[in-house]
Amino acid sequence: MYEHQAAEALEAALRDLPPEVEVRRRLVDGPARRALLDAACEADLLVVGACRRPGHFGLQLGRLSHTVLHHSPCPVAVVPVAVTDDRAQTRFAEERRHGYQGG
């Protein structure tokens, strides 16, 4: 289910990229931080998201964003994503309740 939603979101985000921007997608098994840091070894730029959560000021980095920001061998762009719709806020609350630290 999440894979399908992620694929749709990625397709929508990539739709407006200039043709000279090369994007390589791959499915990797294992911890996200290890997969991203391994991919960063061959990348010119690593892009990760961070939520702007209701009731909090500034950008809230999760464990994943924090880890790659400090350990990536290439530059990292942290893109803020607003958690505005009810489903996203509900999912965020559930993840926090179960100890997910995201990123």
Side-chain angles (χ1 to χ4, degrees), residues 32-38 40 46-49 61-78 103:
R33 71 180 178 284
R34 177 64 6 219
L36 287 171
L37 290 173
D38 287 348
L46 183 64
V47 181
V48 295
L61 293 182
R63 289 181 185 169
L64 180 62
S65 296
H66 186 268
T67 297
V68 298
L69 187 61
H70 290 283
H71 298 286
S72 174
C74 72
V76 177
V78 180

Side-chain angles (χ1 to χ4, degrees), residues 92-103:
F92 171 71
E94 284 295 316
E95 289 171 348
R96 288 295 180 209
R97 205 174 359 263
H98 297 300
Y100 175 74
Q101 293 296 314

Side-chain angles (χ1 to χ4, degrees), residues 72-92:
S72 174
C74 72
V76 177
V78 180
V79 180
V81 179
V83 179
T84 55
D85 68 60
D86 291 337
R87 287 183 316 206
Q89 288 185 22
T90 301
R91 188 176 77 230
F92 171 71

